[in-house]
Amino acid sequence: NNFVVATPDTGGTARAMAYARLLGLPDIVIFDKQRVDAGMIKAGSIKIIGDVAGRDILIVDDMADTCGTICEVSKAGKEAGARNIYVCVTHAVFSKGAIEKLDESEVQEVIITDSIWHSEEELKPKRVKITTVSITTLLANAINNISSARSLSELFKI
């Protein structure tokens, strides 16, 4: 009951709603921000739509590149009273010191898939926990469904 699913930008609202529905959670939180330039968030521009006070946040996103957005919205969430912050991303690019940024951020744990390979050493930061989930079975089933002329959407029904 203390968890809330969040999206780090308005474009991920449908994704966050799908996660919340799968987890049986009643609402989501949206972090809205303004960019100064690519990869640069305007200082003080992050607005939180929804309630994070006293709650644990699960931020869901499709990709984490430099982790600048994740770190900034995590900071805003903590300032608004969030307890613990967890992140779940599909594609962990982790460029330009991303893991070091995560280590210095408010994030407790990052859950990623193995869609992009990283060495074990790279995924052992000092503080933040990084958990990798394999997608090999999902990919094998997708290939099987395609070759059998079956729908891919059936792979995502729970």
Side-chain angles (χ1 to χ4, degrees):
N1 290 338
N2 265 342
F3 260 97
V4 65
V5 174
T7 177
D9 52 52
T10 56
T13 301
R15 179 184 313 107
M17 291 174 71
Y19 270 78
R21 187 173 51 253
L22 287 170
L23 294 171
L25 299 174
D27 57 357
I28 66 167
V29 167
I30 301 168
F31 287 90
D32 186 34
K33 64 190 177 304
Q34 296 176 10
R35 291 199 181 273
V36 175
D37 204 352
M40 300 285 293
I41 298 172
K42 181 179 176 182
S45 72
I46 297 176
K47 306 289 185 254
I48 303 173
I49 303 166
D51 183 25
V52 298
R55 301 175 87 180
D56 294 322
I57 303 174
L58 174 63
I59 299 171
V60 295
D61 208 354
D62 58 348
M63 183 177 71
D65 187 0
T66 65
C67 293
T69 296
I70 288 171
C71 293
E72 288 297 319
V73 300
S74 296
K75 180 180 174 187
K78 275 297 218 180
E79 289 172 354
R83 291 180 356 158
N84 298 302
I85 299 176
Y86 304 90
V87 176
C88 181
V89 295
T90 305
H91 309 292
V93 178
F94 290 160
S95 70
K96 300 179 182 176
I99 292 176
E100 290 79 11
K101 288 179 197 170
L102 288 169
D103 251 348
E104 297 169 4
S105 76
E106 300 290 345
V107 175
Q108 301 295 116
E109 181 176 3
V110 182
I111 303 162
I112 63 173
T113 71
D114 59 358
S115 67
I116 297 174
W117 183 84
H118 296 281
S119 70
E120 282 187 38
E121 191 60 35
E122 184 181 2
L123 296 180
K124 289 185 180 175
K126 293 176 185 146
R127 186 197 57 80
V128 71
K129 179 179 178 185
I130 298 179
T131 303
T132 304
V133 177
S134 177
I135 60 169
T136 55
T137 301
L138 176 63
L139 292 176
N141 289 336
I143 291 168
N144 185 47
N145 279 24
I146 291 168
S147 66
S148 303
R150 292 195 331 251
S151 171
L152 289 177
S153 63
E154 73 182 45
L155 298 175
F156 303 101
K157 292 180 183 171
I158 295 179

